């Protein structure tokens, strides 16, 4: 089996103290287990901020380096949906078929927007194993949203909507489709104007930039080789957003402030809505037993010449309590 690694593992943001973080992260860097940015803050005081390893060949990561945040993208999609609720363009209890246009199907007639947000729709998830869908990987070339939705549109629901929790990338892809249908503009454009620019997230966008951290793979002592960067059209709403540690820090403050939507919508955004394993789930947030809100994000993909055994991998984590 070929060993694979990525230089751009990601960034970590914790709203809590950490014991001797410098020692821990430097050790991980020395063993080649960490390349990225670490930011630790407590009560508005920076406990630790440092960059490790490489973001690309010959380029060290910086606090403003964009990373692929994977499924952390879901909370931004949820915020966009709540923005449309705030404008009274939709309601969380609306059946999704009401806002899907030609993508609607009878299989989803009882599924609501709230159920997509909370992974309780029963719609099987793309990029998740053992959910009954054919396994495939994203590509570097774009895919049309309709074609992507057709990958799961005819699949049977795994359970009656609202009865269970089952993490579903497909549900958040449909939320992106709803955003496009209701707003009349592409998902990426809506996110840029109504979320990123509106809230001053200058280093956040859908898709990679030239300054983004670059994934790599390598075999033993062989030189590292650039891994593919997949087109964000393969996971709209569910992933594909790039952000910086500074923007995520700003985001954490914003979503708890009066500048983010209304008090009622802020509460719905962060509230526990359904049981999810040992914890609960809100709108793009995992909620632990101690009440901490968090989410992680990971991206993976094939590496030639052995896609069955090799993967590029990056991980991000975000949380507060």
């Amino acid at each position: 089996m070929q060993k694979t690694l990525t230089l751009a593992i990601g960034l970590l943001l914790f709203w809590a103290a950490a014991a001797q973080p410098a020692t821990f992260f430097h050790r991980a860097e020395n063993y080649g287990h960490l390349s990225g940015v670490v930011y630790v803050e407590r009560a508005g005081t920076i406990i630790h901020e440092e960059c490790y390893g490489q973001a690309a060949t010959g380029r060290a990561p910086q606090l403003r380096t964009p990373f692929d945040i994977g499924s952390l993208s879901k909370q931004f999609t949820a915020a966009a949906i709540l923005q449309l609720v705030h404008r009274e363009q939709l309601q969380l209890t609306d059946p999704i078929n009401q806002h899907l246009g030609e993508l609607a199907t009878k299989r989803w007639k009882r599924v609501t927007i709230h159920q997509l947000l909370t992974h309780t729709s029963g719609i099987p998830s793309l990029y998740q194993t053992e959910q009954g869908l054919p396994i495939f990987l994203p590509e570097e070339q774009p895919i049309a949203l309709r074609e992507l939705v057709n990958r799961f549109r005819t699949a049977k629901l795994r359970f009656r909507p609202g009865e269970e929790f089952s993490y579903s990338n497909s549900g958040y892809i449909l939320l992106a489709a709803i955003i496009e249908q209701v707003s009349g503009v592409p998902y990426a454009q809506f996110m840029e104007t109504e979320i990123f620019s509106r809230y001053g997230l200058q280093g956040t966008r859908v898709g990679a930039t030239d300054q983004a951290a670059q994934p790599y793979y390598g075999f033993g002592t062989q030189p590292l080789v650039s891994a593919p960067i997949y087109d964000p059209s393969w996971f709209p709403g569910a992933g594909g957003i790039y952000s910086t540690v500074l923007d995520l820090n700003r985001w954490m403050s914003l979503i708890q402030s009066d500048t983010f939507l209304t008090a009622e919508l802020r509460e719905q955004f962060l509230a526990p809505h359904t049981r999810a394993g040992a914890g609960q789930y809100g709108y793009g947030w995992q909620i632990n037993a101690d009440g901490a809100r968090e989410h992680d994000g990971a991206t993976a993909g094939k590496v030639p010449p052995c896609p069955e055994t090799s993967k590029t991998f990056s991980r991000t984590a975000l949380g507060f309590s």
Side-chain angles (χ1 to χ4, degrees):
M1 181 178 293
Q2 295 168 322
K3 182 180 179 181
T4 305
L5 64 115
T6 171
L7 292 182
I9 290 177
L11 55 156
L12 307 171
L13 176 62
F14 296 101
W15 211 265
Q20 299 180 332
T23 301
F24 175 82
F25 292 119
H26 277 298
R27 183 181 298 119
E29 180 186 31
N30 291 337
Y31 279 104
H33 295 163
L34 172 65
S35 286
V37 180
V38 177
Y39 187 99
V40 184
E41 181 174 311
R42 182 183 184 185
T45 300
I46 298 173
I47 305 299
H48 182 79
E49 61 174 21
E50 194 162 357
C51 305
Y52 302 89
Q54 298 183 64
T57 301
R59 175 162 59 89
Q62 301 176 4
L63 293 178
R64 298 189 183 277
T65 297
F67 287 83
D68 184 347
I69 64 172
S71 285
L72 268 68
S73 304
K74 291 180 172 67
Q75 64 192 248
F76 290 95
T77 299
I81 287 290
L82 292 177
Q83 190 76 259
L84 294 172
V85 172
H86 183 51
R87 295 178 179 181
E88 299 184 348
Q89 291 183 267
L90 54 75
Q91 297 183 48
L92 295 170
T93 55
D94 287 347
I96 64 173
N97 280 346
Q98 183 177 329
H99 303 292
L100 282 176
E102 62 180 10
L103 295 178
T105 174
K106 290 181 179 179
R107 292 188 184 275
W108 302 337
K109 63 182 180 181
R110 292 187 175 87
V111 177
T112 67
I113 292 174
H114 169 81
Q115 290 162 352
L116 294 184
L117 288 164
T118 56
H119 301 292
T120 57
S121 69
I123 298 172
S125 178
L126 288 180
Y127 313 122
Q128 304 285 117
T129 59
E130 300 177 357
Q131 294 209 9
L133 296 176
I135 301 299
F136 69 95
L137 292 171
E139 302 288 345
E140 296 174 78
Q141 298 302 313
I143 185 173
L145 180 57
R146 180 177 182 82
E147 183 182 345
L148 185 65
V149 171
N150 281 341
R151 302 283 181 114
F152 59 87
R153 187 169 178 267
T154 59
K156 293 181 179 179
L157 297 184
R158 305 186 67 218
F159 48 80
R160 286 188 178 183
E163 289 191 349
E164 298 181 33
F165 172 91
S166 181
Y167 193 87
S168 177
N169 290 313
S170 303
Y172 272 76
I173 290 171
L174 290 178
L175 288 171
I178 289 171
I179 290 168
E180 291 196 355
Q181 184 74 16
V182 172
S183 68
V185 300
Y187 168 79
Q189 181 179 336
F190 186 89
M191 298 303 292
E192 173 61 34
T193 58
E194 301 302 329
I195 302 297
F196 308 148
S197 292
R198 178 181 293 273
Y199 294 111
L201 306 177
Q202 299 178 354
T204 305
R205 56 164 288 169
V206 176
T209 68
D210 292 340
Q211 297 303 309
Q214 169 69 52
Y216 286 80
Y217 66 90
F219 311 117
T221 59
Q222 297 178 13
L224 297 174
V225 179
S226 296
I229 295 180
Y230 301 118
D231 192 89
S233 61
W234 286 87
F235 12 66
I241 290 177
Y242 281 68
S243 189
T244 70
V245 69
L246 295 179
D247 272 8
L248 291 181
N249 181 45
R250 177 175 175 81
W251 177 244
M252 298 296 285
S253 298
L254 281 166
I255 61 177
Q256 300 174 83
S257 72
D258 292 341
T259 59
F260 179 67
L261 301 174
T262 65
E264 180 182 0
L265 292 175
R266 287 196 302 276
E267 182 179 354
Q268 287 182 293
F269 184 51
L270 298 171
H273 292 291
T274 184
R275 297 294 304 177
Q280 296 177 296
Y281 202 89
Y283 288 166
W285 288 99
Q286 298 159 337
I287 299 151
N288 293 342
D290 60 3
R293 271 70 174 167
E294 63 181 21
H295 213 289
D296 67 353
T299 58
K302 61 186 178 183
V303 176
C306 191
E308 301 82 14
T309 58
S310 301
K311 289 185 177 181
T312 60
F313 188 79
S314 65
R315 180 171 291 277
T316 58
L318 176 69
F320 71 98
S321 59

